[in-house]
Amino acid sequence: MFVEISSTIIMAGVAGYSYLKTNGPTTNDGEKIQRIFSNSGWTINEKGKTKKVCIHRKRKIEGGTEYVLQLPLGMSSKDIIEKKHVLEDGLNIRSKYIDFDPRELLKIKWDRTALKQIRDIVKNKKIARKEIALDFDGMLRIRVYNQPLANQIDWKDDFLKKKGWSVPVGCNREGMIWHDFDKLYSLIVAGTPGYGKSQFLNMIISALVMMQPDDVTFTLIDLKEGAEFKKFENLKQVKRFETDPKKVKEVLEEVEKDMSAMYRRFIKDGYSNVKEAGIKDRHFIIIDEGADIAEDAECIKLLTGIARKGRAAGFYPVYSTQYPTSRSIPIDVKRNIPTRLSFVLDSGTASSNVLDQAGAEDLPMIPGRAIYKNVRCHTVQTPYMSAGQVKQRVKPHIRIKPRKDEAYAEYSHQEKTSRKHSLKFEKV
Ligand SMILES: Nc1ncnc2c1ncn2[C@@H]1O[C@H](COP(=O)(O)OP(=O)(O)OP(=O)(O)O)[C@@H](O)[C@H]1O
Ligand SMILES: [Mg+2]
C-alpha cells in the first residue's frame, strides 16, 4: 500500500515537472541567459534583422555549468561584464513554480520523515543563490555556480609559498590567487568600512614575516592612531612605525633615502635592479587609511616617486583607503600602482575609482569578499587570519627592547618592597 502511494507521488512529481517544463517559466539556465539578453536589449540590429547571442557550448564544471557565448559583432563584452548583476538577478528570480530536479524525489526515504525531506528539498532550492563569473577571451564565458562562494576561508599556513614574494589574496572557484610582489610590485586596497581592508593588511604583513623573516623590512603607517599595526611595532623587521599624519612626510623622505642607497648598491655593480643583482632585501611601505595624507601634496609626491622607482629597488607600497574618491586615491598614485583589491563599495563611481570599472558595488555584503584586479578581475574571498593567529605567528620575531625608566622604577620598587620578606633570622 505504502509503496503504491509513494510510486504515485513520484509519478505525479515527474508528470508535474514535465508540465511545468513545457508550460511554465524558463527553468533551464541556458534559456534564461538568452531571455535575459533579449529582455535587456542586449541585441544587435544588422540589415534590419535582430541578431541574438547564441550559446556556442555548454559544459559541466565543478559546482556548476559554463556557457560559452558568441557575441554578435558590435556587442561590447565590457558592457555585459559590468552588468553582471542583471544576469545574476535574472538567474535567481524565483518563480511561483518550484524549480527542482525530479531526481531528488527518488532519493527520498519513504518513512515518517518523508514530508520533512520534501520540505527540505524545496527549502534548500529556494535558499541556494546562484553566483556567476564572467570572462571574455574572444568568446563570453558565463560560469553559473549553484552555490555561492564560501563566506569565510580560515587561514592555513599551507597558503604560504615556500619561495619568493607571493602572498595569498583570496580564493575563487578555481582555488587560491596570489599577489607576487616581485612581479606586480605595489597594491591599492579599498573598501567600505568594516569589510576587511585592515584584516587583509594584517594578514599580508604576517605572511611576509613568516615567509621571509630575514629579508623583509617594513615601514608601517597606521593613520588610525595605530589601532591596526601597533602589534607589529616591535617586530625586528619593522624599521619605521608612524601613526601621526603630520610626520608621514618625514617618514617617506627617510624611505626615499633608503631607496636611493639601494639604487647606488646595485648600480655600482653594474646591475639595473635588485633581482638582477641577486639582492634579497625587500622593503614594504604599508599605509592604512591613506586618505588622511591624500591632500598633502608633498606626501603624495614622495609616495608616487616610491611607487615609480621602487620597483627596481624592491621598495613596494601598499596603499589602503576607505573612501576611494579621486581625492583619496590621487591620479599619480593610481597610475603607478596598477594592481588593486576592492572590497564592497557603495557605488559604481567608487568602484571605477579603484578598479577602473564597475563591479565592486555589486559584491555581496560579506566581509572578506573582494575583487582583485591585476590584468583581469577575480572575485575572491580573502583568507581570515584571526587576531590570535596574527599574534601567534609574529611573536617569535618581536625584539626585546631595553626596559623603560618608569617600568624599571616600578620593577625596582616591587623588588625593594618584596625584599623585606626574603630572609628571616630566628634566634636559636
Ligand atoms: N576575510 C575575512 N573573512 C571573514 N571576516 C572578515 C574578513 N575580513 C574581515 N572580516 C571581519 O570584518 C571585520 C572588519 O574588518 P576590518 O577591520 O579589516 O575592516 P576595514 O575594512 O579595515 O574597516 P575600517 O575601514 O573601518 O577600518 C573584522 O573584525 C572581521 O570580523
Ligand atoms: Mg581598517
Side-chain angles (χ1 to χ4, degrees):
M1 171 75 175
F2 190 68
V3 174
E4 273 170 29
I5 294 175
S6 13
S7 55
T8 316
I9 294 177
I10 294 174
M11 291 320 291
V14 174
Y17 178 77
S18 16
Y19 170 80
L20 291 178
K21 190 97 186 111
T22 38
N23 301 302
T26 315
T27 53
N28 169 308
D29 284 343
E31 284 171 33
K32 271 190 185 171
I33 288 172
Q34 280 178 316
R35 269 220 218 161
I36 297 166
F37 266 76
S38 49
N39 291 352
S40 313
W42 298 343
T43 47
I44 290 279
N45 267 322
E46 208 176 274
K47 294 181 190 156
K49 277 190 183 166
T50 309
K51 282 230 155 192
K52 288 185 180 175
V53 289
C54 71
I55 296 182
H56 200 70
R57 248 189 348 262
K58 169 184 161 181
R59 69 180 179 110
K60 283 259 166 262
I61 52 169
E62 207 182 318
T65 311
E66 182 185 67
Y67 299 88
V68 181
L69 277 72
Q70 182 140 44
L71 298 183
L73 284 178
M75 189 180 284
S76 149
S77 63
K78 189 167 177 265
D79 288 352
I80 295 166
I81 291 172
E82 286 195 353
K83 287 183 186 136
K84 177 181 153 201
H85 61 282
V86 175
L87 272 164
E88 210 159 56
D89 289 349
L91 290 172
N92 280 302
I93 277 185
R94 280 174 201 139
S95 57
K96 59 185 172 175
Y97 302 100
I98 300 158
D99 171 15
F100 72 91
D101 185 344
R103 279 169 298 189
E104 289 182 42
L105 279 178
L106 299 173
K107 292 182 201 150
I108 292 174
K109 269 209 240 151
W110 295 100
D111 54 18
R112 256 189 273 157
T113 62
L115 255 182
K116 187 183 172 305
Q117 290 175 58
I118 296 175
R119 236 184 285 135
D120 286 349
I121 290 175
V122 175
K123 202 166 122 206
N124 288 343
K125 196 71 200 173
K126 279 188 171 172
I127 290 169
R129 186 178 157 82
K130 289 179 181 173
E131 278 183 2
I132 63 169
L134 294 176
D135 216 350
F136 183 74
D137 58 359
M139 302 290 256
L140 182 72
R141 290 173 190 276
I142 305 179
R143 285 186 284 275
V144 181
Y145 296 100
N146 299 328
Q147 296 291 330
L149 201 60
N151 282 2
Q152 187 165 318
I153 290 179
D154 291 322
W155 173 263
K156 286 194 204 101
D157 287 348
D158 299 352
F159 293 157
L160 296 177
K161 293 216 169 180
K162 301 255 174 333
K163 282 196 279 183
W165 294 93
S166 295
V167 293
V169 170
C171 281
N172 70 359
R173 310 278 177 174
E174 277 94 46
M176 184 60 80
I177 290 183
W178 281 270
H179 176 86
D180 184 351
F181 278 102
D182 254 6
K183 285 198 185 126
L184 298 160
Y185 314 106
S186 35
L187 182 65
I188 288 176
V189 181
T192 306
Y195 283 89
K197 295 181 298 297
S198 306
Q199 215 285 323
F200 176 77
L201 298 181
N202 283 323
M203 186 269 290
I204 60 171
I205 295 170
S206 312
L208 290 166
V209 168
M210 278 189 270
M211 284 192 305
Q212 302 281 5
D214 300 326
D215 298 323
V216 70
T217 302
F218 293 102
T219 290
L220 300 181
I221 298 175
D222 180 352
L223 301 176
K224 232 180 183 181
E225 305 196 10
E228 290 301 337
F229 296 162
K230 183 76 184 162
K231 53 184 157 305
F232 302 121
E233 187 182 6
N234 293 327
L235 294 191
K236 59 176 187 273
Q237 292 85 355
V238 175
K239 186 161 183 187
R240 301 181 192 89
F241 172 76
E242 191 51 72
T243 59
D244 183 353
K246 290 190 209 103
K247 295 192 184 146
V248 173
K249 185 180 148 246
E250 273 168 50
V251 171
L252 293 178
E253 277 168 350
E254 284 171 25
V255 172
E256 201 185 39
K257 275 186 206 149
D258 284 357
M259 191 171 74
S260 302
M262 182 59 89
Y263 261 89
R264 286 196 294 276
R265 193 171 145 194
F266 60 75
I267 288 175
K268 106 177 141 37
D269 293 332
Y271 294 108
S272 50
N273 60 53
V274 280
K275 278 186 260 175
E276 267 184 19
I279 297 171
K280 289 185 179 163
D281 308 54
R282 300 289 183 272
H283 193 130
F284 291 80
I285 303 93
I286 304 195
I287 306 176
D288 199 3
E289 300 310 337
D292 287 356
I293 54 159
E295 284 198 344
D296 186 328
E298 284 176 291
C299 280
I300 293 304
K301 195 169 161 224
L302 283 160
L303 185 63
T304 312
I306 295 167
R308 187 167 47 82
K309 283 175 67 189
R311 284 167 214 162
F315 278 58
Y316 305 142
V318 178
Y319 179 89
S320 158
T321 181
Q322 282 179 343
Y323 303 105
T325 57
S326 47
R327 187 192 65 80
S328 67
I329 314 181
I331 186 81
D332 288 341
V333 173
K334 263 179 80 172
R335 226 178 262 146
N336 285 288
I337 308 185
T339 315
R340 323 275 163 80
L341 178 74
S342 178
F343 294 87
V344 65
L345 287 168
D346 58 1
S347 68
T349 318
S351 176
S352 297
N353 279 329
V354 189
L355 302 170
D356 300 318
Q357 67 182 68
E361 75 286 9
D362 288 328
L363 285 172
M365 307 291 281
I366 298 170
R369 189 63 54 92
I371 295 177
Y372 171 68
K373 182 182 180 187
N374 45 38
V375 181
R376 291 188 359 223
C377 284
H378 308 267
T379 301
V380 294
Q381 179 68 27
T382 59
Y384 179 65
M385 195 188 262
S386 68
Q389 284 175 310
V390 170
K391 261 191 172 173
Q392 193 201 6
R393 300 298 189 280
V394 300
K395 200 173 163 195
H397 305 279
I398 291 179
R399 32 173 196 225
I400 315 287
K401 285 198 154 181
R403 209 179 282 275
K404 285 194 179 138
D405 286 353
E406 49 304 6
Y408 180 71
E410 196 183 319
Y411 164 77
S412 50
H413 170 72
Q414 276 174 11
E415 213 185 25
K416 266 185 221 155
T417 48
S418 61
R419 208 175 282 157
K420 69 179 178 194
H421 303 295
S422 59
L423 196 59
K424 265 189 179 177
F425 290 98
E426 279 179 22
K427 210 172 172 186
V428 180

